[in-house]
């Protein structure tokens, strides 16, 4: 009896130990991701500083001059940052909603799938410059021009990724939920939507930087306000320090957006175990 009890106690200890390790494992990912970013940023700053010693200031200004120009922008032209941010937010949210709906229809409606997929593929083959020039001819309002340009460029990313996410559904899951004889709404709610949420976050993190570049480019040719227009003005007045400063602010803005989306993703998908590959 004592031997049996001792063995049971040892088994209990062996069973409890992994549970404690899993529960007590700290999340070191945010810190581990921040350190490489700081190291790369410091290396870039050092390279700019060294380059500023050997070339004229109108080619590469020193980091101190760039920081001073960034401070001037934040104190005098912060409204342009807000305008660009609102344009970007509106276009990304609209593209996300529209692209997700198109992707779901492509994944669940075999009859219309070939036509929608062909339309999306054709859209991906049209250069962004073509959409920009067409928007100038089609729309008088600069806001509509920029919104249209960003939307037609971003929607295919969401549509194709959501469609691929639905195609990646395990057949066992589909067979299991079909055994309960659900209607289409229940299949969408309990199977498809939870499965494609990671794909939506992945697409958003992938297109944020690209969408920002397209927004700046669209403002450069189709608007008199916003970061793109101010960068064009800095170029016309030979303010290379302001161009570097705007670029610095855009990089910081992109990092902040990426961090925000990542935090939202972890909050919404905290139920999902994260695998670690050696």
């Amino acid at each position: 009896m004592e031997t049996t009890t001792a063995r049971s106690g040892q088994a209990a200890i062996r069973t409890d130990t992994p549970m404690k390790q899993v529960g007590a494992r700290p999340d070191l990912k945010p810190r581990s991701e921040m350190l490489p970013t700081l190291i790369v940023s410091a290396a870039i700053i050092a390279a700019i500083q060294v380059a500023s010693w050997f070339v004229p200031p109108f080619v590469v200004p020193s980091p101190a001059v760039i920081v001073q120009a960034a401070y001037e922008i934040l104190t005098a032209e912060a409204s342009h940052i807000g305008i660009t941010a609102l344009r970007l937010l509106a276009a990304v949210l609209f593209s996300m909603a529209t692209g997700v709906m198109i992707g779901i229809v492509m994944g669940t409606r075999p009859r219309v799938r070939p036509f929608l997929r062909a339309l999306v593929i054709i859209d991906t083959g049209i250069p962004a410059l073509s959409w920009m020039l067409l928007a100038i001819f089609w729309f008088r309002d600069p806001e509509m021009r920029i919104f249209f340009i960003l939307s037609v460029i971003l929607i295919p990313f969401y549509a194709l990724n959501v469609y691929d996410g639905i195609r990646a559904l395990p057949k066992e899951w589909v067979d299991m939920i079909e055994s309960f004889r659900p209607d289409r709404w229940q299949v969408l709610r309990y199977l498809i939507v939870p499965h494609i949420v990671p794909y939506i976050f992945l697409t958003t993190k992938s297109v944020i930087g690209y969408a920002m570049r397209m927004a700046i480019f669209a403002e450069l040719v189709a608007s008199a306000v916003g970061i793109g227009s101010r960068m064009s003005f800095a170029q016309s007045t030979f303010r290379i320090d302001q161009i570097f400063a705007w670029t610095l602010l855009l990089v910081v803005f992109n990092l902040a957006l990426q961090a925000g989306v990542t935090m939202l993703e972890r909050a919404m998908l905290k139920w999902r175990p994260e695998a670690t590959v050696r």
Side-chain angles (χ1 to χ4, degrees):
M1 291 295 294
E2 293 178 357
T3 304
T4 304
T5 304
R7 290 177 179 175
S8 301
Q10 292 176 358
I13 292 175
R14 293 193 188 101
T15 304
D16 292 341
T17 302
M19 294 296 292
K20 290 180 181 179
Q21 291 176 352
V22 172
R25 183 167 62 96
D27 187 8
L28 300 178
K29 179 170 288 189
R31 184 179 302 176
S32 63
E33 290 179 352
M34 182 63 66
L35 182 59
T37 302
L38 294 176
I39 294 175
V40 173
S41 300
I44 294 174
I45 294 173
I48 294 175
Q49 180 64 61
V50 172
S52 67
W53 292 338
F54 299 96
V55 297
F58 59 84
V59 177
V60 178
S62 66
V65 175
I66 296 174
V67 172
Q68 179 62 31
Y71 176 77
E72 294 175 2
I73 290 172
L74 292 175
T75 54
E77 302 181 9
S79 60
H80 294 279
I81 301 176
I83 291 172
T84 299
L86 289 176
R87 288 169 173 169
L88 185 65
L89 178 63
V92 169
L93 291 179
F94 175 80
S95 301
M96 181 189 302
T98 306
V100 168
M101 288 189 294
I102 294 175
I104 291 176
V105 173
M106 289 170 57
T108 58
R109 300 288 183 174
R111 292 185 178 181
V112 299
R113 177 186 305 157
F115 304 99
L116 283 178
R117 190 173 184 278
L119 180 62
V120 172
I121 295 299
I122 291 173
D123 187 6
T124 59
I126 300 176
L129 181 59
S130 298
W131 287 122
M132 292 180 186
L133 297 177
L134 290 174
I136 294 175
F137 284 105
W138 290 350
F139 302 103
R140 179 179 301 178
D141 185 13
E143 300 301 328
M144 280 301 303
R145 293 174 181 174
I146 297 173
F147 181 79
F148 171 78
I149 293 168
L150 292 178
S151 297
V152 295
I153 292 174
L154 297 181
I155 285 174
F157 289 97
Y158 285 99
L160 291 176
N161 282 346
V162 169
Y163 169 59
D164 287 337
I166 295 176
R167 291 179 59 197
L169 273 169
K171 187 177 182 300
E172 295 79 8
W173 295 5
V174 178
D175 294 339
M176 180 186 66
I177 197 170
E178 288 293 344
S179 66
F180 295 98
R181 300 182 182 275
D183 55 31
R184 287 187 177 273
W185 167 250
Q186 291 173 327
V187 173
L188 181 66
R189 178 182 178 184
Y190 295 110
L191 180 63
I192 295 178
V193 171
H195 182 71
I196 64 175
V197 168
Y199 290 87
I200 297 174
F201 278 110
L202 174 63
T203 306
T204 302
K205 290 189 293 185
S206 301
V207 304
I208 281 180
Y210 180 71
M212 187 178 301
R213 292 194 296 271
M214 288 298 100
I216 302 304
F217 195 12
E219 290 175 343
L220 186 67
V221 300
S223 178
V225 293
I227 296 177
S229 65
R230 301 311 299 170
M231 293 185 74
S232 176
F233 180 76
Q235 181 270 334
S236 63
T237 55
F238 301 98
R239 290 293 305 273
I240 187 68
D241 57 332
Q242 287 194 355
I243 294 178
F244 271 92
W246 279 116
T247 305
L248 170 64
L249 294 175
L250 286 172
V251 170
V252 173
F253 186 38
N254 180 48
L255 292 176
L257 289 177
Q258 292 283 355
V261 174
T262 301
M263 290 175 60
L264 182 60
E265 179 186 22
R266 288 174 180 167
M268 294 188 64
L269 300 178
K270 60 183 179 181
W271 52 269
R272 184 184 62 174
E274 187 170 340
T276 302
V277 181
R278 294 190 298 168

